[in-house]
Amino acid sequence: MFTLSLIAAPENANLEAVLIDSLRKNWGGSETRWLNPGIAAEFQMATVPDAWDEVWSDLQSIAIDLAIQPTAGRRKRVLLADMDSTMIDQECIDELAAEAGVGERVAAITARAMNGELNFHEALIERVGLLAGLPETVIGKVLAERITLASGGPELVATMRAHGAYAALVSGGFTDFTGPIARKLGFDEDRANTLLADGGVLTGHVTLPVLGREAKVEALNEITERLGLTPADVIAVGDGANDLGMLQLAGSGVALHAKPVVAQQAGIIINHGDLTALLYLQGYSAEEFSR
């Protein structure tokens, strides 16, 4: 059996029963199960419809996401999440660069790296080099004044952990940010690159090797092996090209508000829902959410 999930942007709440009933009747679906009225619903089907991708495209025009997954094993035991532009609304390196007066230059490199146009390792080294001379105290200032948690993130982590899942924050960013963000959201662990400083000033270097695409895949494999699980037990979420490896390896790989190159290759695309979409995809109802 397969489960079809329909998820609207929470601020729109425009998912209507008539739309679901039409799809359900055309595709031989079971009765609708509402996970959150106006926002998320699902039904089961015996097979994947041939034209489902065309329907997906049509629904994008009204800001509704559609996903189809095997019903068995949907509820995952590990959450593996990117941080920048996924669990938080910003790219930390761009915010640091803005404080250093090189914001536009660094942001342009970041955008190209996340689109897969540049080698992640080389792009990170170049961007960090532009931060040389920035006082370490700016990190705390950026955390306090510029960084905001992405919508639905606290519910996602809290709910999965309340149901026994393990949560890991794995970022191509920096430990100075993943540590506080992981603690705030309740992640079990975090992994990222380490910014180097000397005398309270950033040197423009990070510890090597750089944590990029391959390291995220390694994290997925290491964590599941340690827990006696497999990649099929993981739901992974990210938005950039350096996330593709873990998204493709995980049992459920979710491209959330992702760059085009990522969305084209990911198994599940969420363009309109927030991070609670990952809970709806696993069959959690809003009544089951923890905060």
Side-chain angles (χ1 to χ4, degrees):
M1 296 295 292
F2 296 86
T3 297
L4 181 144
S5 303
L6 292 164
I7 302 168
E11 63 271 20
N12 294 342
N14 62 330
L15 184 60
E16 299 179 352
V18 63
L19 168 64
I20 302 169
D21 289 342
S22 175
L23 293 176
R24 192 170 54 79
K25 291 174 182 176
N26 287 338
W27 291 343
S30 64
E31 288 300 310
T32 300
R33 178 181 175 229
W34 281 98
L35 303 174
N36 194 352
I39 296 175
E42 64 180 29
F43 61 80
Q44 293 184 3
M45 307 173 296
T47 60
V48 177
D50 291 335
W52 77 269
D53 53 341
E54 296 177 11
V55 174
W56 180 90
S57 296
D58 291 340
L59 292 177
Q60 289 295 297
S61 66
I62 57 172
I64 291 177
D65 294 310
L66 178 154
I68 299 176
Q69 308 172 79
T71 301
R74 266 197 311 154
R75 193 161 287 195
K76 303 302 183 184
R77 299 178 62 185
V78 176
L79 168 66
L80 195 66
D82 172 47
M83 180 181 70
D84 296 276
S85 298
T86 299
M87 297 306 301
I88 61 175
D89 293 318
Q90 297 78 24
E91 294 281 338
C92 289
I93 195 166
D94 293 357
E95 302 304 322
L96 287 173
E99 293 288 339
V102 290
E104 290 186 6
R105 185 174 174 186
V106 168
I109 300 171
T110 299
R112 293 184 66 198
M114 292 302 99
N115 278 323
E117 299 171 21
L118 299 174
N119 175 277
F120 181 83
H121 176 108
E122 295 173 357
L124 182 69
I125 296 299
E126 180 180 359
R127 286 175 291 164
V128 171
L130 295 172
L131 302 179
L134 195 66
E136 273 191 290
T137 54
V138 170
I139 294 172
K141 181 175 185 290
V142 167
L143 269 167
E145 299 177 3
R146 290 178 172 267
I147 303 303
T148 54
L149 298 179
S151 176
E155 292 87 348
L156 170 62
V157 179
T159 302
M160 288 194 66
R161 290 196 70 204
H163 287 80
Y166 187 88
L169 187 64
V170 184
S171 172
F174 310 114
T175 54
D176 288 309
F177 292 93
T178 59
I181 296 300
R183 288 190 292 272
K184 191 168 187 176
L185 287 171
F187 279 91
D188 293 288
E189 70 170 273
D190 65 283
R191 303 185 185 194
N193 296 296
T194 301
L195 284 169
L196 298 178
D198 185 17
V201 175
L202 298 183
T203 65
H205 300 284
V206 295
T207 55
L208 298 176
V210 165
L211 191 156
R213 175 171 174 159
E214 294 77 13
K216 293 191 177 194
V217 172
E218 290 173 8
L220 188 156
N221 286 324
E222 289 172 5
I223 291 168
T224 52
E225 183 176 356
R226 186 176 77 226
L227 298 176
L229 302 172
T230 71
D233 297 308
V234 177
I235 185 167
V237 60
D239 73 302
N242 63 323
D243 297 314
L244 264 174
M246 72 173 184
L247 295 183
Q248 293 172 335
L249 180 60
S252 294
V254 182
L256 182 79
H257 306 165
K259 310 303 182 290
V261 67
V262 181
Q264 290 168 7
Q265 300 179 62
I268 300 172
I269 305 167
I270 298 296
N271 287 330
H272 305 288
D274 64 11
L275 283 162
T276 58
L278 274 73
L279 294 173
Y280 298 133
L281 289 168
Q282 297 178 77
Y284 289 99
S285 68
E287 294 177 349
E288 297 176 90
F289 288 5
S290 300
R291 292 172 175 81

PDB file of all heavy atoms in Angstrom, residues 210-242:
ATOM      1  N   VAL A 210      36.773  19.643   5.870  1.00  0.00           N
ATOM      2  CA  VAL A 210      35.506  20.377   5.851  1.00  0.00           C
ATOM      3  C   VAL A 210      34.342  19.389   5.869  1.00  0.00           C
ATOM      4  O   VAL A 210      34.366  18.372   5.172  1.00  0.00           O
ATOM      5  CB  VAL A 210      35.421  21.269   4.593  1.00  0.00           C
ATOM      6  CG1 VAL A 210      33.992  21.764   4.356  1.00  0.00           C
ATOM      7  CG2 VAL A 210      36.376  22.448   4.720  1.00  0.00           C
ATOM      8  N   LEU A 211      33.346  19.684   6.701  1.00  0.00           N
ATOM      9  CA  LEU A 211      32.138  18.858   6.733  1.00  0.00           C
ATOM     10  C   LEU A 211      31.226  19.333   5.608  1.00  0.00           C
ATOM     11  O   LEU A 211      30.683  20.423   5.658  1.00  0.00           O
ATOM     12  CB  LEU A 211      31.435  18.979   8.087  1.00  0.00           C
ATOM     13  CG  LEU A 211      30.296  17.992   8.375  1.00  0.00           C
ATOM     14  CD1 LEU A 211      30.103  17.814   9.874  1.00  0.00           C
ATOM     15  CD2 LEU A 211      28.975  18.431   7.734  1.00  0.00           C
ATOM     16  N   GLY A 212      31.092  18.489   4.581  1.00  0.00           N
ATOM     17  CA  GLY A 212      30.266  18.823   3.432  1.00  0.00           C
ATOM     18  C   GLY A 212      29.329  17.682   3.100  1.00  0.00           C
ATOM     19  O   GLY A 212      28.849  16.967   3.982  1.00  0.00           O
ATOM     20  N   ARG A 213      29.089  17.469   1.812  1.00  0.00           N
ATOM     21  CA  ARG A 213      28.129  16.456   1.363  1.00  0.00           C
ATOM     22  C   ARG A 213      28.500  15.058   1.848  1.00  0.00           C
ATOM     23  O   ARG A 213      27.663  14.334   2.384  1.00  0.00           O
ATOM     24  CB  ARG A 213      28.037  16.494  -0.162  1.00  0.00           C
ATOM     25  CG  ARG A 213      27.163  15.406  -0.760  1.00  0.00           C
ATOM     26  CD  ARG A 213      26.926  15.625  -2.239  1.00  0.00           C
ATOM     27  NE  ARG A 213      26.206  14.515  -2.844  1.00  0.00           N
ATOM     28  CZ  ARG A 213      25.536  14.601  -3.984  1.00  0.00           C
ATOM     29  NH1 ARG A 213      25.492  15.739  -4.641  1.00  0.00           N
ATOM     30  NH2 ARG A 213      24.892  13.556  -4.484  1.00  0.00           N
ATOM     31  N   GLU A 214      29.750  14.661   1.669  1.00  0.00           N
ATOM     32  CA  GLU A 214      30.165  13.306   2.034  1.00  0.00           C
ATOM     33  C   GLU A 214      30.064  13.089   3.538  1.00  0.00           C
ATOM     34  O   GLU A 214      29.691  12.007   3.999  1.00  0.00           O
ATOM     35  CB  GLU A 214      31.595  13.036   1.552  1.00  0.00           C
ATOM     36  CG  GLU A 214      31.756  13.011   0.042  1.00  0.00           C
ATOM     37  CD  GLU A 214      31.759  14.401  -0.586  1.00  0.00           C
ATOM     38  OE1 GLU A 214      31.892  15.401   0.165  1.00  0.00           O
ATOM     39  OE2 GLU A 214      31.614  14.499  -1.817  1.00  0.00           O
ATOM     40  N   ALA A 215      30.397  14.129   4.310  1.00  0.00           N
ATOM     41  CA  ALA A 215      30.352  13.998   5.764  1.00  0.00           C
ATOM     42  C   ALA A 215      28.924  13.828   6.269  1.00  0.00           C
ATOM     43  O   ALA A 215      28.692  13.172   7.288  1.00  0.00           O
ATOM     44  CB  ALA A 215      30.998  15.214   6.416  1.00  0.00           C
ATOM     45  N   LYS A 216      27.953  14.400   5.568  1.00  0.00           N
ATOM     46  CA  LYS A 216      26.560  14.220   5.969  1.00  0.00           C
ATOM     47  C   LYS A 216      26.110  12.783   5.718  1.00  0.00           C
ATOM     48  O   LYS A 216      25.372  12.200   6.522  1.00  0.00           O
ATOM     49  CB  LYS A 216      25.657  15.216   5.228  1.00  0.00           C
ATOM     50  CG  LYS A 216      25.909  16.665   5.625  1.00  0.00           C
ATOM     51  CD  LYS A 216      24.843  17.606   5.098  1.00  0.00           C
ATOM     52  CE  LYS A 216      25.099  19.028   5.569  1.00  0.00           C
ATOM     53  NZ  LYS A 216      23.963  19.922   5.372  1.00  0.00           N
ATOM     54  N   VAL A 217      26.577  12.211   4.629  1.00  0.00           N
ATOM     55  CA  VAL A 217      26.283  10.800   4.354  1.00  0.00           C
ATOM     56  C   VAL A 217      26.953   9.924   5.405  1.00  0.00           C
ATOM     57  O   VAL A 217      26.348   8.963   5.919  1.00  0.00           O
ATOM     58  CB  VAL A 217      26.766  10.413   2.939  1.00  0.00           C
ATOM     59  CG1 VAL A 217      26.654   8.912   2.724  1.00  0.00           C
ATOM     60  CG2 VAL A 217      25.960  11.159   1.886  1.00  0.00           C
ATOM     61  N   GLU A 218      28.195  10.234   5.748  1.00  0.00           N
ATOM     62  CA  GLU A 218      28.902   9.476   6.776  1.00  0.00           C
ATOM     63  C   GLU A 218      28.177   9.568   8.108  1.00  0.00           C
ATOM     64  O   GLU A 218      28.072   8.575   8.840  1.00  0.00           O
ATOM     65  CB  GLU A 218      30.334  10.003   6.917  1.00  0.00           C
ATOM     66  CG  GLU A 218      31.241   9.689   5.736  1.00  0.00           C
ATOM     67  CD  GLU A 218      32.587  10.369   5.832  1.00  0.00           C
ATOM     68  OE1 GLU A 218      32.873  10.969   6.899  1.00  0.00           O
ATOM     69  OE2 GLU A 218      33.354  10.312   4.854  1.00  0.00           O
ATOM     70  N   ALA A 219      27.667  10.753   8.439  1.00  0.00           N
ATOM     71  CA  ALA A 219      26.924  10.920   9.683  1.00  0.00           C
ATOM     72  C   ALA A 219      25.695  10.027   9.701  1.00  0.00           C
ATOM     73  O   ALA A 219      25.398   9.368  10.710  1.00  0.00           O
ATOM     74  CB  ALA A 219      26.520  12.381   9.858  1.00  0.00           C
ATOM     75  N   LEU A 220      24.977   9.984   8.586  1.00  0.00           N
ATOM     76  CA  LEU A 220      23.787   9.129   8.497  1.00  0.00           C
ATOM     77  C   LEU A 220      24.164   7.667   8.741  1.00  0.00           C
ATOM     78  O   LEU A 220      23.514   6.969   9.535  1.00  0.00           O
ATOM     79  CB  LEU A 220      23.112   9.305   7.140  1.00  0.00           C
ATOM     80  CG  LEU A 220      21.750   8.640   6.922  1.00  0.00           C
ATOM     81  CD1 LEU A 220      20.971   9.362   5.830  1.00  0.00           C
ATOM     82  CD2 LEU A 220      21.871   7.172   6.562  1.00  0.00           C
ATOM     83  N   ASN A 221      25.214   7.218   8.080  1.00  0.00           N
ATOM     84  CA  ASN A 221      25.638   5.823   8.224  1.00  0.00           C
ATOM     85  C   ASN A 221      26.149   5.525   9.630  1.00  0.00           C
ATOM     86  O   ASN A 221      25.832   4.476  10.214  1.00  0.00           O
ATOM     87  CB  ASN A 221      26.715   5.491   7.191  1.00  0.00           C
ATOM     88  CG  ASN A 221      26.152   5.334   5.790  1.00  0.00           C
ATOM     89  OD1 ASN A 221      25.049   4.831   5.607  1.00  0.00           O
ATOM     90  ND2 ASN A 221      26.904   5.763   4.784  1.00  0.00           N
ATOM     91  N   GLU A 222      26.926   6.439  10.196  1.00  0.00           N
ATOM     92  CA  GLU A 222      27.481   6.221  11.532  1.00  0.00           C
ATOM     93  C   GLU A 222      26.382   6.177  12.591  1.00  0.00           C
ATOM     94  O   GLU A 222      26.391   5.321  13.484  1.00  0.00           O
ATOM     95  CB  GLU A 222      28.484   7.325  11.864  1.00  0.00           C
ATOM     96  CG  GLU A 222      29.780   7.247  11.071  1.00  0.00           C
ATOM     97  CD  GLU A 222      30.656   8.473  11.303  1.00  0.00           C
ATOM     98  OE1 GLU A 222      30.281   9.322  12.156  1.00  0.00           O
ATOM     99  OE2 GLU A 222      31.703   8.584  10.635  1.00  0.00           O
ATOM    100  N   ILE A 223      25.448   7.112  12.499  1.00  0.00           N
ATOM    101  CA  ILE A 223      24.387   7.187  13.503  1.00  0.00           C
ATOM    102  C   ILE A 223      23.480   5.967  13.437  1.00  0.00           C
ATOM    103  O   ILE A 223      23.147   5.366  14.466  1.00  0.00           O
ATOM    104  CB  ILE A 223      23.582   8.487  13.325  1.00  0.00           C
ATOM    105  CG1 ILE A 223      24.449   9.693  13.713  1.00  0.00           C
ATOM    106  CG2 ILE A 223      22.302   8.463  14.155  1.00  0.00           C
ATOM    107  CD1 ILE A 223      23.870  11.038  13.325  1.00  0.00           C
ATOM    108  N   THR A 224      23.073   5.572  12.227  1.00  0.00           N
ATOM    109  CA  THR A 224      22.189   4.402  12.121  1.00  0.00           C
ATOM    110  C   THR A 224      22.901   3.128  12.558  1.00  0.00           C
ATOM    111  O   THR A 224      22.298   2.285  13.242  1.00  0.00           O
ATOM    112  CB  THR A 224      21.656   4.240  10.684  1.00  0.00           C
ATOM    113  OG1 THR A 224      22.749   4.252   9.753  1.00  0.00           O
ATOM    114  CG2 THR A 224      20.688   5.356  10.344  1.00  0.00           C
ATOM    115  N   GLU A 225      24.170   2.994  12.218  1.00  0.00           N
ATOM    116  CA  GLU A 225      24.905   1.790  12.646  1.00  0.00           C
ATOM    117  C   GLU A 225      25.037   1.752  14.159  1.00  0.00           C
ATOM    118  O   GLU A 225      24.853   0.705  14.780  1.00  0.00           O
ATOM    119  CB  GLU A 225      26.294   1.780  11.996  1.00  0.00           C
ATOM    120  CG  GLU A 225      27.096   0.521  12.331  1.00  0.00           C
ATOM    121  CD  GLU A 225      28.425   0.467  11.612  1.00  0.00           C
ATOM    122  OE1 GLU A 225      28.717   1.368  10.790  1.00  0.00           O
ATOM    123  OE2 GLU A 225      29.192  -0.482  11.876  1.00  0.00           O
ATOM    124  N   ARG A 226      25.312   2.893  14.760  1.00  0.00           N
ATOM    125  CA  ARG A 226      25.447   2.969  16.215  1.00  0.00           C
ATOM    126  C   ARG A 226      24.145   2.609  16.922  1.00  0.00           C
ATOM    127  O   ARG A 226      24.144   1.988  17.988  1.00  0.00           O
ATOM    128  CB  ARG A 226      25.882   4.383  16.605  1.00  0.00           C
ATOM    129  CG  ARG A 226      26.197   4.562  18.084  1.00  0.00           C
ATOM    130  CD  ARG A 226      26.720   5.954  18.356  1.00  0.00           C
ATOM    131  NE  ARG A 226      25.657   6.944  18.369  1.00  0.00           N
ATOM    132  CZ  ARG A 226      25.710   8.105  17.752  1.00  0.00           C
ATOM    133  NH1 ARG A 226      26.761   8.435  17.020  1.00  0.00           N
ATOM    134  NH2 ARG A 226      24.706   8.962  17.836  1.00  0.00           N
ATOM    135  N   LEU A 227      23.024   2.982  16.312  1.00  0.00           N
ATOM    136  CA  LEU A 227      21.714   2.730  16.924  1.00  0.00           C
ATOM    137  C   LEU A 227      21.124   1.381  16.522  1.00  0.00           C
ATOM    138  O   LEU A 227      20.023   1.036  16.955  1.00  0.00           O
ATOM    139  CB  LEU A 227      20.749   3.843  16.534  1.00  0.00           C
ATOM    140  CG  LEU A 227      21.108   5.259  16.999  1.00  0.00           C
ATOM    141  CD1 LEU A 227      20.120   6.275  16.450  1.00  0.00           C
ATOM    142  CD2 LEU A 227      21.155   5.331  18.522  1.00  0.00           C
ATOM    143  N   GLY A 228      21.845   0.632  15.694  1.00  0.00           N
ATOM    144  CA  GLY A 228      21.335  -0.654  15.234  1.00  0.00           C
ATOM    145  C   GLY A 228      20.213  -0.517  14.234  1.00  0.00           C
ATOM    146  O   GLY A 228      19.341  -1.387  14.141  1.00  0.00           O
ATOM    147  N   LEU A 229      20.243   0.567  13.452  1.00  0.00           N
ATOM    148  CA  LEU A 229      19.198   0.836  12.475  1.00  0.00           C
ATOM    149  C   LEU A 229      19.798   0.839  11.067  1.00  0.00           C
ATOM    150  O   LEU A 229      20.970   0.526  10.889  1.00  0.00           O
ATOM    151  CB  LEU A 229      18.551   2.196  12.767  1.00  0.00           C
ATOM    152  CG  LEU A 229      17.940   2.358  14.160  1.00  0.00           C
ATOM    153  CD1 LEU A 229      17.511   3.801  14.404  1.00  0.00           C
ATOM    154  CD2 LEU A 229      16.748   1.415  14.339  1.00  0.00           C
ATOM    155  N   THR A 230      18.989   1.181  10.075  1.00  0.00           N
ATOM    156  CA  THR A 230      19.454   1.271   8.695  1.00  0.00           C
ATOM    157  C   THR A 230      19.050   2.630   8.129  1.00  0.00           C
ATOM    158  O   THR A 230      18.197   3.322   8.705  1.00  0.00           O
ATOM    159  CB  THR A 230      18.842   0.168   7.813  1.00  0.00           C
ATOM    160  OG1 THR A 230      17.439   0.453   7.618  1.00  0.00           O
ATOM    161  CG2 THR A 230      18.995  -1.209   8.461  1.00  0.00           C
ATOM    162  N   PRO A 231      19.596   3.035   6.985  1.00  0.00           N
ATOM    163  CA  PRO A 231      19.181   4.296   6.375  1.00  0.00           C
ATOM    164  C   PRO A 231      17.684   4.381   6.107  1.00  0.00           C
ATOM    165  O   PRO A 231      17.117   5.480   6.068  1.00  0.00           O
ATOM    166  CB  PRO A 231      19.988   4.325   5.071  1.00  0.00           C
ATOM    167  CG  PRO A 231      21.249   3.590   5.401  1.00  0.00           C
ATOM    168  CD  PRO A 231      20.778   2.459   6.291  1.00  0.00           C
ATOM    169  N   ALA A 232      17.033   3.235   5.941  1.00  0.00           N
ATOM    170  CA  ALA A 232      15.587   3.234   5.710  1.00  0.00           C
ATOM    171  C   ALA A 232      14.817   3.782   6.905  1.00  0.00           C
ATOM    172  O   ALA A 232      13.663   4.214   6.765  1.00  0.00           O
ATOM    173  CB  ALA A 232      15.103   1.831   5.393  1.00  0.00           C
ATOM    174  N   ASP A 233      15.451   3.808   8.086  1.00  0.00           N
ATOM    175  CA  ASP A 233      14.807   4.292   9.300  1.00  0.00           C
ATOM    176  C   ASP A 233      14.953   5.803   9.492  1.00  0.00           C
ATOM    177  O   ASP A 233      14.550   6.333  10.518  1.00  0.00           O
ATOM    178  CB  ASP A 233      15.405   3.589  10.527  1.00  0.00           C
ATOM    179  CG  ASP A 233      15.165   2.098  10.517  1.00  0.00           C
ATOM    180  OD1 ASP A 233      14.004   1.694  10.364  1.00  0.00           O
ATOM    181  OD2 ASP A 233      16.148   1.337  10.654  1.00  0.00           O
ATOM    182  N   VAL A 234      15.532   6.481   8.498  1.00  0.00           N
ATOM    183  CA  VAL A 234      15.860   7.905   8.631  1.00  0.00           C
ATOM    184  C   VAL A 234      14.934   8.771   7.784  1.00  0.00           C
ATOM    185  O   VAL A 234      14.624   8.440   6.641  1.00  0.00           O
ATOM    186  CB  VAL A 234      17.319   8.160   8.194  1.00  0.00           C
ATOM    187  CG1 VAL A 234      17.654   9.657   8.270  1.00  0.00           C
ATOM    188  CG2 VAL A 234      18.288   7.344   9.036  1.00  0.00           C
ATOM    189  N   ILE A 235      14.519   9.891   8.353  1.00  0.00           N
ATOM    190  CA  ILE A 235      13.943  10.972   7.560  1.00  0.00           C
ATOM    191  C   ILE A 235      14.951  12.108   7.609  1.00  0.00           C
ATOM    192  O   ILE A 235      15.374  12.536   8.683  1.00  0.00           O
ATOM    193  CB  ILE A 235      12.547  11.409   8.061  1.00  0.00           C
ATOM    194  CG1 ILE A 235      11.954  12.455   7.095  1.00  0.00           C
ATOM    195  CG2 ILE A 235      12.563  11.917   9.495  1.00  0.00           C
ATOM    196  CD1 ILE A 235      10.466  12.726   7.321  1.00  0.00           C
ATOM    197  N   ALA A 236      15.396  12.550   6.430  1.00  0.00           N
ATOM    198  CA  ALA A 236      16.396  13.610   6.329  1.00  0.00           C
ATOM    199  C   ALA A 236      15.781  14.810   5.636  1.00  0.00           C
ATOM    200  O   ALA A 236      14.934  14.667   4.756  1.00  0.00           O
ATOM    201  CB  ALA A 236      17.618  13.116   5.559  1.00  0.00           C
ATOM    202  N   VAL A 237      16.239  15.996   6.030  1.00  0.00           N
ATOM    203  CA  VAL A 237      15.688  17.214   5.438  1.00  0.00           C
ATOM    204  C   VAL A 237      16.798  18.221   5.195  1.00  0.00           C
ATOM    205  O   VAL A 237      17.713  18.384   5.997  1.00  0.00           O
ATOM    206  CB  VAL A 237      14.590  17.823   6.343  1.00  0.00           C
ATOM    207  CG1 VAL A 237      15.131  18.186   7.722  1.00  0.00           C
ATOM    208  CG2 VAL A 237      13.942  19.032   5.681  1.00  0.00           C
ATOM    209  N   GLY A 238      16.722  18.880   4.037  1.00  0.00           N
ATOM    210  CA  GLY A 238      17.700  19.893   3.699  1.00  0.00           C
ATOM    211  C   GLY A 238      17.262  20.656   2.475  1.00  0.00           C
ATOM    212  O   GLY A 238      16.234  20.346   1.855  1.00  0.00           O
ATOM    213  N   ASP A 239      18.073  21.650   2.105  1.00  0.00           N
ATOM    214  CA  ASP A 239      17.683  22.519   0.982  1.00  0.00           C
ATOM    215  C   ASP A 239      18.779  22.722  -0.049  1.00  0.00           C
ATOM    216  O   ASP A 239      18.510  23.197  -1.154  1.00  0.00           O
ATOM    217  CB  ASP A 239      17.256  23.895   1.499  1.00  0.00           C
ATOM    218  CG  ASP A 239      18.458  24.713   1.976  1.00  0.00           C
ATOM    219  OD1 ASP A 239      19.181  24.241   2.883  1.00  0.00           O
ATOM    220  OD2 ASP A 239      18.691  25.803   1.434  1.00  0.00           O
ATOM    221  N   GLY A 240      20.039  22.376   0.292  1.00  0.00           N
ATOM    222  CA  GLY A 240      21.151  22.693  -0.591  1.00  0.00           C
ATOM    223  C   GLY A 240      21.779  21.487  -1.252  1.00  0.00           C
ATOM    224  O   GLY A 240      21.510  20.336  -0.881  1.00  0.00           O
ATOM    225  N   ALA A 241      22.647  21.750  -2.231  1.00  0.00           N
ATOM    226  CA  ALA A 241      23.286  20.680  -2.988  1.00  0.00           C
ATOM    227  C   ALA A 241      24.112  19.763  -2.089  1.00  0.00           C
ATOM    228  O   ALA A 241      24.237  18.566  -2.364  1.00  0.00           O
ATOM    229  CB  ALA A 241      24.166  21.273  -4.081  1.00  0.00           C
ATOM    230  N   ASN A 242      24.666  20.296  -1.005  1.00  0.00           N
ATOM    231  CA  ASN A 242      25.460  19.460  -0.101  1.00  0.00           C
ATOM    232  C   ASN A 242      24.586  18.529   0.739  1.00  0.00           C
ATOM    233  O   ASN A 242      25.107  17.673   1.461  1.00  0.00           O
ATOM    234  CB  ASN A 242      26.345  20.322   0.803  1.00  0.00           C
ATOM    235  CG  ASN A 242      25.553  21.234   1.719  1.00  0.00           C
ATOM    236  OD1 ASN A 242      24.513  21.773   1.335  1.00  0.00           O
ATOM    237  ND2 ASN A 242      26.034  21.435   2.925  1.00  0.00           N
TER     238      ASN A 242
END
